[in-house]
Amino acid sequence: MVGLLRHHVFRRLYGAHVIHLLGNEFTFIAVLGLLKELSGSGLSFAAGTVFRFLPYVVASFFAGPLLEKWEKRRVMVVCNLLRGILVSLFFWITDAAYLWAVYAVLMMVNVCSAFFNPSMQVVIVQSVEPQSRLSANSLITGTNALMMFIGQGIAAYLVYAFSFRFNFLLDAGCYFLSLLFLLRLPAIQTPHADAKTRGFFGRLLEGFRYVKTNAPIRKVLVLQMMERVTGSYYVLLMFFILEERHQPLYLFGLLDIPLGIGGVLAGLLVSKWAELLHPRRIDALLAGALWVISISVWLMFHSGHAAIWMATTFFLAIASFSLGILSVTRLQRLADPAFLARVFSVREMVCMGAYSLSCLAIGWGTEWLKSAAIADGIAGFGIVAGVIWMLLRTKAAAFDGKN
């Protein structure tokens, strides 16, 4: 993985990614503090998640065809400049009457993210050799987890010692600092199909038809959607710790430390062993990851001990991050380069759509049920999802064998 950093394009992209990820962790816990200060209901936490991801889903619907025409470096620079300006606005929202402004800023920040993330995926595919993409994805995912570990540790301390509001300014500074790396990237264009004959809506429909007719890609997207539904446990965990257990905000932030450690370990394990395994073994591991997530969620919400919360978070992180690395790498290999931006935009749309709807359902459920009862439903879904994935892959293997 270290050899990837010798590639100047990937190294600069990676540097920008590390810096703005660190800032994201500052803002994540600070937004929770802001919502708790202005409202404090389980529905407000869920609404905060929905207003983060619903505009992301809608913007992703249009992002793919637009990104094919736009130069990727410029897109990423503009997105991080806008995100830096927007997150600094949170610092000034102090009255519950302006709760709507929190949601509005969250929406605009995530519209920018809907264009930034597929752009970054395209740059990774274009700058990294196919045989090195699993290592690249492992490095980025492991770094995501490491920044979660470092960022939440720092953010939790800042919240405990000072005020969560200063975290917003730190995040803005990280976005601006990341521009120094992005501006040094070369101009990056993408080959696209029928560029001269198809307009925006033609390319949009063509992208959806491509995904619809490509069964292997569809199955990977279904897997990622199911994982995102189980991932909505995180919103429930906010309510469980802050409202049901009445624990301080910094304790919730500290739970991201085992989450980060587990993610780093997942990146190391996948990069070392995944290439040695037969695809059918990897399919079994993906189903197993869903089952580990389910068991961890159930244990987490049926225990009152912080040590159990941390242990289950650690194992959940290994499973979730491993599933993410393997499925993204498979998607990169399956997608035609001419459709890459559109495929990843569809991925962002359906995965974040599933996550948003799940979070909204959980937020509504907390008004009527205890967290443990909702966790039972999430865990049960994850078990069934693992079985569905194995059935899909078994059916595909049988079909391939006949042909």
Side-chain angles (χ1 to χ4, degrees):
M1 286 193 291
V2 177
L4 288 166
L5 299 179
R6 298 191 183 100
H7 192 293
H8 69 282
V9 174
F10 182 81
R11 183 175 65 248
R12 291 165 185 171
L13 180 65
Y14 179 75
H17 186 63
V18 167
I19 292 169
H20 86 240
L21 272 179
L22 182 62
N24 285 350
E25 296 305 319
F26 294 149
T27 284
F28 178 77
I29 193 171
V31 167
L32 295 183
L34 188 58
L35 291 174
K36 188 173 188 298
E37 180 182 278
L38 300 181
S39 174
S41 73
L43 195 56
S44 72
F45 293 137
T49 301
V50 170
F51 280 112
R52 284 174 62 203
F53 291 112
L54 184 59
Y56 188 99
V57 170
V58 174
S60 294
F61 184 84
F62 301 101
L66 292 173
L67 288 172
E68 287 185 345
K69 291 286 190 179
W70 296 346
E71 195 270 301
K72 307 304 179 292
R73 179 192 60 180
R74 186 175 300 169
V75 171
M76 292 189 290
V77 167
V78 171
C79 286
N80 271 11
L81 177 62
L82 290 175
R83 288 195 288 186
I85 294 170
L86 288 166
V87 296
S88 66
L89 299 179
F90 285 126
F91 182 84
W92 308 101
I93 302 174
T94 58
D95 193 315
Y98 293 99
L99 181 62
W100 63 269
V102 176
Y103 297 139
V105 174
L106 281 173
M107 291 173 66
M108 289 185 283
V109 167
N110 284 280
V111 167
C112 294
S113 298
F115 285 87
F116 185 95
N117 292 337
S119 297
M120 188 177 78
Q121 287 293 336
V122 171
V123 174
I124 290 172
V125 171
Q126 290 189 295
S127 63
V128 176
E129 294 296 324
Q131 65 271 19
S132 300
R133 286 175 193 164
L134 178 63
S135 295
N137 292 325
S138 299
L139 178 60
I140 288 175
T141 301
T143 302
N144 291 353
L146 182 61
M147 290 301 102
M148 189 180 296
F149 167 65
I150 296 172
Q152 286 294 346
I154 297 172
Y157 172 76
L158 293 174
V159 168
Y160 174 76
F162 303 103
S163 167
F164 64 82
R165 292 185 177 277
F166 291 105
N167 287 9
F168 295 127
L169 300 182
L170 288 173
D171 187 16
C174 288
Y175 276 122
F176 296 143
L177 184 59
S178 73
L179 296 178
L180 299 179
F181 289 83
L182 294 174
L183 288 169
R184 298 181 64 196
L185 289 173
I188 300 167
Q189 296 288 352
T190 308
H192 43 79
D194 301 327
K196 295 181 180 179
T197 60
R198 293 186 182 274
F200 168 78
F201 286 105
R203 297 195 310 278
L204 178 67
L205 294 175
E206 186 181 50
F208 280 102
R209 280 196 297 268
Y210 175 74
V211 172
K212 182 180 178 181
T213 57
N214 193 312
I217 288 178
R218 283 204 319 271
K219 289 170 184 174
V220 174
L221 292 178
V222 168
L223 172 69
Q224 292 190 310
M225 289 172 65
M226 293 189 295
E227 188 276 332
R228 284 294 76 209
V229 171
T230 61
S232 61
Y233 85 91
Y234 201 69
V235 173
L236 185 62
L237 187 62
M238 299 178 203
F239 182 78
F240 176 64
I241 291 178
L242 299 178
E243 298 300 321
E244 287 189 5
R245 294 289 178 173
H246 303 291
Q247 297 295 326
L249 181 61
Y250 69 84
L251 178 61
F252 178 77
L254 289 175
L255 283 179
D256 271 2
I257 294 177
L259 190 67
I261 295 173
V264 171
L265 184 57
L268 294 173
L269 291 174
V270 171
S271 65
K272 185 173 183 179
W273 298 107
E275 292 285 11
L276 304 177
L277 298 176
H278 189 277
R280 293 185 67 178
R281 288 284 183 91
I282 292 178
D283 288 336
L285 285 176
L286 291 171
L290 286 169
W291 294 332
V292 170
I293 292 170
S294 301
I295 294 168
S296 299
V297 168
W298 189 88
L299 290 172
M300 183 182 296
F301 288 92
H302 286 79
S303 172
H305 300 287
I308 299 296
W309 300 342
M310 290 190 173
T312 53
T313 297
F314 172 74
F315 288 108
L316 190 153
I318 294 175
S320 180
F321 281 105
S322 297
L323 188 151
I325 296 168
L326 292 169
S327 57
V328 166
T329 303
R330 184 173 291 187
L331 204 57
Q332 289 173 343
R333 290 173 176 171
L334 290 171
D336 185 324
F339 291 91
L340 192 64
R342 282 174 282 182
V343 168
F344 272 93
S345 292
V346 171
R347 170 188 177 265
E348 299 296 331
M349 181 184 69
V350 297
C351 292
M352 292 304 108
Y355 185 70
S356 298
L357 291 174
S358 302
C359 290
L360 188 60
I362 285 173
W364 179 82
T366 57
E367 300 294 315
W368 308 95
L369 300 170
K370 291 289 186 181
S371 297
I374 300 173
D376 291 343
I378 296 173
F381 174 86
I383 296 295
V384 173
V387 174
I388 291 172
W389 171 251
M390 287 303 296
L391 290 175
L392 287 173
R393 298 311 304 159
T394 301
K395 183 178 179 181
F399 179 81
D400 292 341
K402 291 178 181 179
N403 292 274

